[in-house]
């Protein structure tokens, strides 16, 4: 049974609050994307399976835990997901990284895919799709459909800010995917932007526009 988790940790709320401020600098915004992604990832990896391995401490032999199976793969949705992936790699440096390039057509709000490159063994891995914004849900839904078309099944989706409309659409399209949300905002405006939101995540990360 998949779950939708809205993070209530004070650190996450505090950091997202700073990201929303329109005068927050590009550098600070970018750093915060990585930090909040790391904090959400801590929760999103809570249920990973562990297995026992034998090791030797400087004093004795003992059994410790390690993450079982074929390990993890982070899949940022370009552009804005890239800095979330960087943050998560601080926690899980051995994760593989796949990339899906997707942008919204500004008139129709429909996602347009322009790139997809995944590790060859992605189907054996636990996949964490990351994108700061879940607005209409079109980009996340299309990205996850791309993964499923390649026989990938163990998929989680992490975002910093979501609109209720996007959450509903993603849950309906991919009911098997766990969703982790830094902040659930109020609604979309007439241009498909999340309110109160933080504006265009890609533009704020890269200083474009
Ligand atoms: C933003 C964001 C998501 C998408 C969310 O990307 O990073 O990918 O919009 O909107 P949706 O849920 O309505 O699909 P954008 O299209 O601005 O591309 P960019 O990251 O290249 O700027
Ligand atoms: N994409 C963004 O970057 N921000 C929004 O509010 C909606 C879509």
């Amino acid at each position: 049974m998949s779950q939708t988790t809205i993070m209530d940790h004070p650190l996450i709320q505090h950091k997202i609050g700073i990201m929303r401020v329109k005068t927050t600098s590009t550098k600070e915004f970018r750093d915060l994307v990585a930090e909040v992604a790391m904090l959400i990832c801590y929760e999103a990896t809570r249920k990973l399976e562990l297995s026992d391995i034998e090791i030797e401490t400087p004093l004795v032999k003992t059994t410790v835990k390690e993450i079982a199976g074929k390990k993890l793969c982070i899949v940022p949705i370009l552009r804005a997901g890239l800095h979330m992936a960087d943050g998560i790699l601080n926690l899980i440096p051995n994760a593989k990284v796949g990339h899906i390039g997707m942008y919204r057509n500004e008139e129709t709000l429909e996602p347009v895919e322009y790139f997809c490159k995944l590790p060859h063994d992605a189907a054996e891995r636990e996949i964490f799709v990351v994108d700061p914004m879940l607005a209409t849900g079109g980009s996340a839904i299309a990205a996850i459909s791309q993964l499923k078309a390649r026989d990938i099944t163990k998929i989680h989706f992490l975002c910093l800010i979501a609109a209720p409309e996007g959450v509903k659409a993603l849950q309906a399209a991919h009911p098997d995917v766990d969703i982790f949300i830094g902040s659930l905002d109020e609604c979309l405006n007439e241009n498909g932007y999340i309110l109160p939101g933080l504006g265009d995540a890609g533009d704020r990360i890269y200083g474009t526009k």
Side-chain angles (χ1 to χ4, degrees):
M1 179 73 179
S2 68
Q3 279 187 336
T4 297
T5 305
I6 298 158
M7 309 295 299
D8 57 2
H9 196 286
L11 278 175
I12 294 179
Q13 294 185 48
H14 177 84
K15 288 173 189 287
I16 289 179
I18 299 170
M19 296 175 72
R20 294 186 194 278
V21 177
K22 66 179 178 186
T23 51
T24 295
S25 71
T26 301
K27 183 198 177 306
E28 194 179 1
F29 187 91
R30 195 185 292 148
D31 291 347
L32 286 163
V33 169
E35 286 172 25
V36 177
M38 210 177 343
L39 293 168
I40 296 175
C41 174
Y42 182 77
E43 183 61 32
T45 49
R46 180 181 290 281
K47 291 190 187 149
L48 288 182
E49 278 178 36
L50 294 170
S51 56
D52 290 339
I53 52 161
E54 305 291 322
I55 58 126
E56 266 183 82
T57 75
L59 302 175
V60 286
K61 288 188 176 176
T62 189
T63 305
V64 295
K65 304 285 183 193
E66 71 168 6
I67 293 170
K70 254 287 192 183
K71 312 279 166 46
L72 311 178
C73 176
I74 307 162
V75 178
I77 301 179
L78 308 180
R79 294 175 294 169
L82 271 178
H83 268 276
M84 288 185 72
D86 286 347
I88 293 172
L89 284 170
N90 288 323
L91 276 186
I92 314 170
N94 291 328
K96 295 249 171 112
V97 182
H99 295 88
I100 295 186
M102 195 81 78
Y103 68 87
R104 285 198 316 180
N105 176 309
E106 287 188 6
E107 261 103 61
T108 64
L109 302 183
E110 289 297 317
V112 181
E113 190 191 321
Y114 59 90
F115 188 74
C116 183
K117 181 99 179 163
L118 302 170
H120 69 90
D121 59 357
E124 295 158 47
R125 291 175 177 268
E126 196 99 19
I127 304 282
F128 293 83
V129 178
V130 298
D131 191 328
M133 309 305 276
L134 181 67
T136 64
S139 302
I141 291 168
I144 292 169
S145 297
Q146 278 294 340
L147 299 178
K148 289 185 173 175
R150 291 166 170 80
D151 297 327
I152 293 169
T153 53
K154 288 174 279 179
I155 304 172
H156 314 262
F157 179 78
L158 281 60
C159 64
L160 307 189
I161 295 190
E165 296 89 328
V167 177
K168 220 169 141 194
L170 181 54
Q171 287 170 334
H174 296 298
D176 52 325
V177 170
D178 284 328
I179 306 171
F180 296 88
I181 299 168
S183 171
L184 181 62
D185 275 15
E186 287 165 22
C187 59
L188 295 176
N189 73 7
E190 63 282 7
N191 299 317
Y193 277 83
I194 300 174
L195 297 179
L198 47 69
D200 186 302
D203 284 344
R204 295 203 61 193
I205 290 169
Y206 295 107
T208 42
K209 261 199 189 149

